Amino acid sequence: PTTMLACVKHFALYGAPEGGRDYGTVDMSKIRMYNEYLPPYKAAVDAGVGSVMTSFNVIDYVPASGSRFIFKDVLRGKWKFKDLVVTDYTSIMEMMEHSTGDNMQEVSRQALKATVDMDMVSEGFLHTLKKSLDEGKVTKKDIDNACIRILMAKERLGLLDDPYKYFDEKRAAVEILS
């Protein structure tokens, strides 16, 4: 009843924004990034973490949730991570604040192309990917790959065989009455 999918967050460089402020620019050399900031994330990937959560900060002036470099090249390419990448809260929607796109369709496209699989809150994927597909801005394969990784995570948790596998009626009743 306590099985969970481990998620390492916030990938990457979230602890190094200028001025110590959330959502800020991170300006550092690739040497420092690889030597000081990425090793703990790499260790989590090597240990078999099941998901990675995007960060809110920018990397080389690109919001992390739309960074092909950090997700497609490093995480999925160099590190061979095949599992779920999920956004933090409204990080796709907030990409507009960093001027990488002026509407949800554009920033959602950027995130999907960066190999982000799940848009946690902003619903950009839900409301824009069909239009982006129809306009040729994303491919069916882009969407299928994200869906496959989500379904594989659910399969590993046993949720495809039994969606109520971890539902505990006694525990739910106690929490409702509390």
Side-chain angles (χ1 to χ4, degrees):
T2 59
T3 302
M4 291 184 229
L5 184 69
C7 182
V8 66
K9 57 189 221 175
H10 296 94
F11 191 69
L13 312 180
Y14 193 61
E18 292 178 5
R21 296 182 179 159
D22 283 349
Y23 314 100
T25 298
V26 175
D27 190 9
M28 73 170 59
S29 69
K30 295 265 187 332
I31 292 170
R32 186 172 183 211
M33 178 182 70
Y34 279 106
N35 287 337
E36 297 177 26
Y37 283 86
L38 293 183
Y41 296 108
K42 177 74 165 80
V45 168
D46 290 346
V49 71
S51 63
V52 171
M53 182 176 283
T54 67
S55 60
F56 282 105
N57 59 282
V58 299
I59 302 165
D60 290 333
Y61 300 100
V62 176
S65 292
S67 174
R68 288 185 189 200
F69 164 72
I70 205 68
F71 288 103
K72 193 170 187 176
D73 298 347
V74 175
L75 184 68
R76 297 207 190 271
K78 290 180 182 174
W79 297 357
K80 307 296 183 212
F81 184 73
K82 304 280 187 230
D83 296 314
L84 179 65
V85 172
V86 60
T87 66
D88 191 1
Y89 201 58
T90 57
S91 66
I92 291 177
M93 180 173 59
E94 292 183 28
M95 288 170 58
M96 291 183 287
E97 299 298 321
H98 293 284
S99 302
T100 59
D102 56 3
N103 60 61
M104 279 303 291
Q105 182 181 358
E106 176 53 25
V107 294
S108 295
R109 181 200 64 77
Q110 289 172 21
L112 185 70
K113 287 294 195 178
T115 71
V116 171
D117 302 312
M118 184 183 290
D119 178 5
M120 187 187 292
V121 174
S122 63
E123 299 182 358
F125 283 9
L126 179 65
H127 297 294
T128 69
L129 290 184
K130 171 77 168 82
K131 183 177 180 187
S132 291
L133 179 64
D134 293 344
E135 294 174 355
K137 295 178 179 177
V138 300
T139 66
K140 185 176 181 302
K141 185 175 181 176
D142 294 329
I143 296 170
D144 285 350
N145 287 341
C147 291
I148 287 167
R149 289 187 289 261
I150 292 166
L151 290 171
M152 287 176 66
K154 290 182 177 193
E155 173 66 24
R156 281 193 308 277
L157 293 172
L159 297 175
L160 297 181
D161 295 328
D162 180 2
Y164 299 104
K165 182 175 184 173
Y166 302 113
F167 183 73
D168 181 337
E169 288 185 36
K170 290 179 188 172
R171 184 175 169 198
V174 169
E175 290 179 8
I176 290 171
L177 296 174
S178 297

